[in-house]
Amino acid sequence: MKPFKAAVFDLDGVVVDTARFHFLAWQRLAQELGFEFTEKDNERQKGVSRMESLEILLEVGGCTNLSPEKKEELAAKKNEWYKEYLYEMTPADILPGARDFMEYLRRRGIRTALASASKNAPIILEKLDITELFDAVVDGNSVSKAKPDPEVFLKAAEKLGIDPSECFVFEDAQAGVEGAKRAGMRVVGIGKRDILQKAEIVVSGFPEIEPVILLSCIELKDTCAMEYGHV
Ligand code: B16
Ligand code: MG
């Protein structure tokens, strides 16, 4: 196995809990359209693009035959509500342990990249004041295919100038884990083992595990991280 040279981070659900804001905004749209939208339905939207998320919501509500213009209008409306939450964010909203872990990796000479499906990634990085923590940023504005397509991860590796097999990805979504695996990368799942079964290591969050231990687990591709958190 090749050594690990770069860490590629998903954004929503890994570095910041914007997944909650996405859910609230989609739920508001569903309410306006007259149906219920649950957290279970929302799980399928994680990591996929805005328009694919809308298709999932419309399928749940049985809303068929909407024109492309109407769909664009609904997605834009949801995004405006979502951005209301983003504007309220401050650097304190970075998920516990994420900054410490990224800084630790960088001190160890490991390169870092962002690989997010979100077109709002630049605003989020700016609000959290973490743009400088990434050597490369690839987001929804620079990819044509959404996760589980590997494009966003392959572009991140290309921008870093590092072979995909030398990258480890941190992901909270099934679509993201799948995309990273298809890119030939190894994955640390952030969340629940039953949802992120294909990841090599799963932890419930960065504070569950000391950076030094998580890094050793990744380097050894050991199963020791499995003992941490709820997994
Ligand atoms: P936007 P990630 C993804 O971000 C979210 O997980 C997903 O729920 C969302 O639909 C997608 O971004 C697009 O977001 O509407 O802001 O462009 O997890 O890949 O960082
Ligand atoms: Mg995510």
Side-chain angles (χ1 to χ4, degrees):
M1 191 175 55
K2 285 199 184 169
F4 160 58
K5 290 191 186 158
V8 178
F9 291 85
D10 171 55
L11 181 62
D12 292 341
V14 169
V15 176
V16 64
D17 193 14
T18 36
R20 184 79 200 146
F21 302 155
H22 278 295
F23 173 58
L24 293 173
W26 285 123
Q27 203 179 36
R28 184 169 166 186
L29 186 65
Q31 265 164 13
E32 197 175 277
L33 293 171
F35 59 90
E36 226 190 295
F37 191 71
T38 66
E39 294 207 37
K40 189 162 174 250
D41 299 322
N42 170 245
E43 198 59 45
R44 289 168 58 205
Q45 291 179 315
K46 290 186 179 169
V48 307
S49 70
R50 191 180 308 164
M51 292 314 285
E52 283 175 50
S53 294
L54 176 68
E55 292 297 342
I56 291 168
L57 180 123
L58 295 176
E59 183 198 306
V60 169
C63 301
T64 49
N65 297 329
L66 294 187
S67 67
E69 294 73 27
K70 182 70 189 170
K71 287 181 183 175
E72 287 293 342
E73 183 196 314
L74 293 176
K77 189 183 258 192
K78 177 265 169 180
N79 196 48
E80 286 309 309
W81 290 331
Y82 174 62
K83 284 202 296 192
E84 286 173 14
Y85 293 110
L86 297 188
Y87 290 139
E88 298 298 314
M89 282 190 334
T90 71
D93 286 304
I94 188 162
L95 280 171
R99 178 187 276 277
D100 284 352
F101 185 61
M102 284 189 268
E103 286 175 345
Y104 176 78
L105 291 178
R106 290 168 67 84
R107 283 199 301 277
R108 296 284 304 260
I110 291 165
R111 311 255 289 149
T112 50
L114 185 84
S116 168
S118 177
K119 291 187 172 171
N120 291 301
I123 310 175
I124 300 170
L125 294 182
E126 192 190 315
K127 295 295 283 182
L128 296 180
D129 195 20
I130 54 168
T131 311
E132 83 289 350
L133 287 181
F134 298 100
D135 297 305
V137 171
V138 184
D139 62 29
N141 302 294
S142 46
V143 292
S144 56
K145 290 172 245 148
K147 300 169 187 177
D149 190 279
E151 183 186 10
V152 68
F153 299 107
L154 292 172
K155 278 201 167 165
E158 194 186 327
K159 270 195 162 183
L160 291 174
I162 289 180
D163 193 84
S165 63
E166 296 167 318
C167 298
F168 232 104
V169 175
F170 295 82
E171 254 295 347
D172 70 314
Q174 280 173 346
V177 174
E178 175 78 31
K181 301 300 292 181
R182 282 165 62 183
M185 299 179 179
R186 288 165 282 160
V187 185
V188 175
I190 306 288
K192 296 199 170 126
R193 169 90 65 106
D194 54 347
I195 294 176
L196 306 170
Q197 290 143 351
K198 292 187 184 164
E200 269 82 7
I201 293 171
V202 182
V203 291
S204 55
F206 291 110
E208 293 299 339
I209 183 162
E210 286 291 321
V212 62
I213 298 174
L214 180 52
L215 187 57
S216 335
C217 291
I218 292 168
E219 281 167 345
L220 298 169
K221 200 180 153 291
D222 201 334
T223 52
C224 56
M226 308 282 185
E227 291 165 21
Y228 287 82
H230 55 76
V231 290

